[in-house]
Amino acid sequence: MKQFFLASILAGALALPAVAADYTIIAPANPGGGWDQTARSIQSVMQAEGISGNVQVQNVPGAGGTIGLAQFASQSAGNANALIVGGYVMVGAILTNKSPVSLNDVTPIARLTGEYEAIVVPADSPLKSMGDLVEALKKDPGAVSWGGGSAGGTDHIAVGLIAKAAGVDPTKINYIAFSGGGEALAAILGSQVTAGISGYGEFESQIKAGTLRLLAMSSPERLPGIDAPTIKEGGLDVVVENWRMVAAAPGLTDEQKAAVSADIEKLAKSAGWQETLKTKGWTDTYLAGDAFKAQLAKDVSATQAVLKDIGLVQ
């Protein structure tokens, strides 16, 4: 009888669902930008889908995410409950800032989203089209100021590629970097810069409200639901897609890494996440495991080449 009760208790324990892990996610930028939106979207969906009972987001802004990355790598070693979001912008910032900490110092888990760049101007700007903006850029590169994310990030790279394609020396561009999407948006709306560049999702509400004019998208072809031509349609052979990823702390065991990877896979395949992608206008670019590791190495190499080409890295 004693053995029967022990067996019953053990069977009952095995039948219980595993306790969902709590997570803390570092968003290495100020509130309002793409990384912050990504982290808070992960937070919301993980909790709503029961993947995690409690998810906290902490903003650690500065230097294109490299300050948050360095803090994360040094303070979270071995902590399977710690995550950080990053992506293409961080790859560029690591190179341009000569950061001593790189993505090799954390545990990349998966690429989650992709997003094309939107080029906007204030609604009352005299620039009515991408052609107008390019004409002004050719006339006096320094007189055209661009407001975007961190130096060396996707926005900066895109502006450099636009300048190069237009026959303008990329080192002459007047690029003003902001560490958070909210700050950049305020500068654009206040006409403190000529034009703004970022992911479409960061401008969508202002575009729909009529306070910003969308000039072009950096996609290879027009995107459904977005009323704007591509940069290519304006005669410049430029296509740029930002992407965002999630990484875990360094020093995890294989079991810990597998558990985190499983939770992120559940997130990426959940109905809540798919709905978030639609709402935000993000492309599903989920890629994990060795395939993501190999792609990340290629992206780092390609980014370095682009940054050298446009004069941002020696």
Side-chain angles (χ1 to χ4, degrees):
M1 184 63 73
K2 185 177 179 181
Q3 287 177 328
F4 172 77
F5 280 119
L6 286 172
S8 298
I9 291 169
L10 179 59
L14 291 173
L16 290 172
V19 177
D22 292 342
Y23 286 104
T24 297
I25 307 174
I26 297 295
N30 285 321
W35 286 339
D36 181 65
Q37 289 184 38
T38 302
R40 294 184 191 280
S41 295
I42 294 172
Q43 174 190 42
S44 177
V45 174
M46 274 191 152
Q47 292 178 161
E49 296 281 344
I51 299 167
S52 176
N54 183 32
V55 181
Q56 300 296 320
V57 175
Q58 296 178 359
N59 293 89
V60 184
T66 56
I67 291 176
L69 181 67
Q71 178 179 307
F72 179 78
S74 65
Q75 296 181 6
S76 301
N79 182 359
N81 302 100
L83 300 172
I84 186 170
V85 295
Y88 192 11
V89 172
M90 186 177 282
V91 170
I94 288 167
L95 294 167
T96 55
N97 292 323
K98 297 185 175 68
S99 172
V101 178
S102 74
L103 293 175
N104 291 327
D105 298 302
V106 296
T107 306
I109 297 295
R111 186 183 66 195
L112 291 175
T113 67
E115 186 176 25
Y116 293 108
E117 297 282 282
I119 298 168
V120 300
V121 293
D124 59 358
S125 169
L127 303 175
K128 306 297 183 185
S129 67
M130 189 65 193
D132 291 344
L133 181 58
V134 170
E135 187 178 334
L137 183 67
K138 288 179 176 179
K139 185 177 180 181
D140 187 351
V144 176
S145 55
W146 303 77
S150 304
T154 319
D155 305 340
H156 199 168
I157 287 172
V159 174
L161 291 174
I162 288 168
K164 186 179 179 186
V168 174
D169 182 353
T171 63
K172 303 294 185 186
I173 60 175
N174 181 7
Y175 184 82
I176 301 170
F178 295 89
S179 61
E183 294 174 18
L185 183 59
I188 299 161
L189 289 169
S191 298
Q192 296 168 28
V193 293
T194 308
I197 182 166
S198 190
Y200 176 79
E202 294 187 40
F203 298 139
E204 183 178 24
S205 59
Q206 286 75 27
I207 291 167
K208 289 184 175 178
T211 54
L212 288 180
R213 179 184 300 126
L214 177 58
L215 299 185
M217 295 293 300
S218 68
S219 51
E221 53 199 29
R222 292 200 181 206
L223 299 173
I226 299 178
D227 183 21
T230 65
I231 296 172
K232 291 188 78 170
E233 285 180 64
L236 304 180
D237 189 15
V238 175
V239 175
V240 179
E241 184 180 21
N242 189 10
W243 51 264
R244 299 190 183 107
M245 58 167 275
V246 62
L252 299 189
T253 65
D254 288 344
E255 291 77 12
Q256 287 174 321
K257 182 179 177 182
V260 174
S261 297
D263 280 349
I264 296 302
E265 183 175 4
K266 288 176 193 172
L267 166 81
K269 294 183 177 180
S270 71
W273 184 252
Q274 293 302 315
E275 184 59 34
T276 297
L277 295 178
K278 290 179 186 176
T279 303
K280 296 286 188 182
W282 296 340
T283 305
D284 187 351
T285 61
Y286 178 70
L287 188 68
D290 290 340
F292 175 52
K293 189 175 180 181
Q295 184 60 50
L296 184 58
K298 289 180 183 177
D299 288 342
V300 170
S301 178
T303 303
Q304 188 168 28
V306 170
L307 291 172
K308 283 183 178 179
D309 200 30
I310 63 178
L312 295 176
V313 169
Q314 298 301 313

